[in-house]
Amino acid sequence: MKMTDELETVMGGVRMGVNVDIKRTDGRIHSAVVSGINVETKSVTVEWFERGETKGKEIELEQILGLNQDLAPTSYDNANVIPNKLQKYVPRPSVPVANNKAAPTGGGTKRNPGRQSHVITSNGHNKEQNENQNGSGPHNNMDNSETMPPPKHVPSLPPDKSETVSKATGAAAAAAQAVNRRRSNVVKEVERLKENREKRRAQQAQILEEQEQLRNKDPGNPNWEFLQMILDYKEELEFNPLQDGDPIANHQITVCIRKRPMNQKETKKKEVDVVTIPTRDNITIHEPKSKVDLTKYLDNQHFRFDYAFDENSNNELVYKYSARSLVQSIFEGGMATCFAYGQTGSGKTHTMGGEFHGKSQDSKNGIYAFATKDVFKLLKSPKYKNSNLIVSCSYFEIYSGKVFDLLSGKSKLRVLEDGKQQVVVVGLTETDVECVEDVLKLITHGNNLRTSGQTSANAHSSRSHAVFQIILRINNNKKPLYGKFSLIDLAGNERGADTSSANRQTR
């Protein structure tokens, strides 16, 4: 009996099998049958028959009582529990009661249809009972058309009764908060999903807006997204490139890398610069990639060298930190070698021989010329002035497995091994030089004879390996070898098919 009273206090007239009005998500209101009650979460499961099949859903008790106020418990307070938005629905019409005394007073499951007219007044008595005693109840109002007299003045409550009413009001507010806390888990999950969906949509809208702004910065650029990723990556770096005056490390083998600037053809096609040199010995390659869901991202690959020269470095700075220390070694009886390696169009001939002006090459600012200047400078220094050394030069190329002399009209040479098992280029022209100008003339003459061709990567591309040698010999009758400095400009290291110029000359 006690448990039934508690259920009636919480659920009111809502019972298994009772017909109730429910509101659908599309705004429709129709009848359904209560098939389940959850007192802990204060929710009700209802079922109804629609379009040949049985459907059901879980609804909060608060919403059920808002649409079915005749099923509300006695202590249910519309002002505190039911939100204002639910008060616009008209409650079920109640059946008029001829005599209140005939209404059952037991704790059965049937509710009094006139329960909704029970209001607790300030004097603690039932208003309906007072009206019945005065002859002005609801039944009498149907029979008599006279207007109701004005309400009587209600005297103020004593302090103890006022305190009782305040406690009752506080209990009703606490019950309303408990209803909100004990909301259905399904409703909470739906609200959480809705909130996450709105956040995602807001983030996507913001991303699209930012992308549109970036696209407008460089309209017509198909690689604008990757370009912006690279720029954002560079903003986080601290640049400290190699500068003239930095200390020079003493290595027996030095490996350097040089970045060339983008040419006009690449700039016109709006290609992206994917090479970044933040420090003097590090280089980063940005590789654009796409995920399975077509999301674009950057794969940043880092490499380290002895020296890294950016696009602002000139040939003189490259020579100072790469080949200059080798000149000193040949005056000490050593054999030094400096060669440029890379693909077609990467700037090997530009670095070794000098800058190009059209199809003509200026040999004054290449590593060939810088090395020759230092050779003659050391030769005239007090340390080596009396060494009785002479300087000579040779220049030949290797093309298609054959050797040609570039200082004697491109005559064909043979490479053999002598009795000391030393490799010798038989018949190679070796010309004595007295100054830097003589060397530059030889370089210019050899460059004009060197094999070249036009490729998709370079309009004037060297297709052979060129070897320029600065030789020191002792000035006597036999002229024995004292030191040699070989400067090698290799051909492109890629396959001929990769240059889009797969003919016999450019392979």
Side-chain angles (χ1 to χ4, degrees), residues 221-388:
N221 188 351
N223 302 314
W224 65 270
E225 195 167 0
F226 285 126
L227 177 61
Q228 188 61 38
M229 290 181 185
I230 294 174
L231 294 177
D232 294 341
Y233 178 83
K234 288 183 178 181
E235 289 181 357
E236 300 177 358
L237 297 178
E238 183 178 353
F239 285 85
N240 186 21
L242 181 66
Q243 297 179 354
D244 192 6
D246 290 348
I248 302 175
N250 186 13
H251 301 295
Q252 289 187 347
I253 299 177
T254 302
V255 182
C256 308
I257 189 168
R258 185 181 187 184
K259 173 188 176 182
R260 68 163 177 84
M262 297 181 66
N263 54 37
Q264 295 180 356
K265 183 178 180 181
E266 294 167 340
T267 305
K268 187 176 180 180
K269 293 172 64 176
K270 294 187 176 181
E271 295 185 358
V272 181
D273 183 4
V274 296
V275 180
T276 301
I277 302 179
T279 60
R280 56 177 288 171
D281 56 356
N282 284 287
I283 182 172
T284 302
I285 306 298
H286 311 287
E287 184 178 1
K289 289 187 176 182
S290 298
K291 298 181 180 179
V292 179
D293 59 353
L294 302 182
T295 303
K296 297 180 180 180
Y297 70 100
L298 280 182
D299 184 11
N300 301 309
Q301 303 179 16
H302 308 280
F303 302 91
R304 183 172 181 178
F305 296 86
D306 292 322
Y307 298 104
F309 305 98
D310 59 13
E311 64 272 21
N312 299 319
S313 302
N314 53 25
N315 285 349
E316 186 175 2
L317 184 66
V318 174
Y319 166 73
K320 180 178 180 180
Y321 285 90
S322 59
R324 187 175 184 178
S325 60
L326 299 177
V327 177
Q328 179 68 35
S329 65
I330 68 173
F331 279 88
E332 297 174 356
M335 304 293 175
T337 304
C338 175
F339 59 89
Y341 172 84
Q343 68 182 42
T344 300
S346 59
K348 301 181 299 297
T349 306
H350 170 90
T351 302
M352 301 299 291
E355 297 180 358
F356 278 91
H357 300 285
K359 289 189 176 181
S360 62
Q361 188 176 19
D362 184 8
S363 303
K364 295 181 180 179
N365 56 2
I367 290 182
Y368 295 160
F370 292 136
T372 305
K373 290 178 183 179
D374 284 345
V375 167
F376 284 103
K377 185 178 179 181
L378 286 175
L379 189 62
K380 295 177 182 180
S381 65
K383 184 177 181 179
Y384 302 103
K385 186 176 184 180
N386 300 324
S387 299
N388 195 23

Side-chain angles (χ1 to χ4, degrees), residues 52 114 127-128 134 150 193 223 240 255 280 311 391 421 433 448 465 483 502:
K127 181 178 179 181
E128 183 179 355
N134 296 330
L193 295 175
N223 302 314
N240 186 21
V255 182
R280 56 177 288 171
E311 64 272 21
V391 182
Q421 296 183 347
V433 291
N448 293 332
H465 305 304

Side-chain angles (χ1 to χ4, degrees), residues 30-191:
H30 61 78
S31 178
V33 180
V34 177
S35 61
I37 298 175
N38 193 334
V39 181
E40 295 181 356
T41 60
K42 291 187 180 294
S43 59
V44 177
T45 303
V46 296
E47 294 182 355
W48 67 94
F49 191 75
E50 181 179 355
R51 296 180 182 178
E53 59 181 1
T54 302
K55 297 184 178 181
K57 65 184 297 187
E58 185 179 11
I59 307 177
E60 294 184 8
L61 178 63
E62 179 181 348
Q63 186 177 357
I64 292 291
L65 298 180
L67 295 175
N68 306 270
Q69 295 187 7
D70 55 325
L71 302 177
T74 306
S75 60
Y76 193 76
D77 190 351
N78 289 333
N80 293 330
V81 178
I82 303 176
N84 292 331
K85 63 181 181 179
L86 297 178
Q87 293 180 358
K88 62 182 180 179
Y89 301 108
V90 179
R92 283 189 177 184
S94 59
V95 180
V97 182
N99 188 1
N100 288 337
K101 294 181 179 180
T105 59
T109 57
K110 294 184 180 181
R111 302 292 299 171
N112 185 357
R115 180 185 293 274
Q116 61 186 8
S117 63
H118 289 217
V119 181
I120 303 299
T121 59
S122 58
N123 58 2
H125 294 83
N126 190 302
K127 181 178 179 181
E128 183 179 355
Q129 294 177 359
N130 293 336
E131 290 177 350
N132 292 334
Q133 293 175 1
N134 296 330
S136 59
H139 183 69
N140 294 334
N141 287 339
M142 295 180 184
D143 298 337
N144 301 329
S145 60
E146 296 180 1
T147 59
M148 295 179 63
K152 298 181 180 180
H153 176 70
V154 180
S156 59
L157 292 173
D160 55 346
K161 293 188 177 182
S162 299
E163 184 178 356
T164 304
V165 174
S166 300
K167 290 182 179 179
T169 305
Q177 293 180 358
V179 170
N180 292 332
R181 285 197 305 267
R182 297 175 181 175
R183 302 177 66 182
S184 170
N185 294 331
V186 177
V187 176
K188 291 180 181 179
E189 183 68 16
V190 170
E191 291 180 353

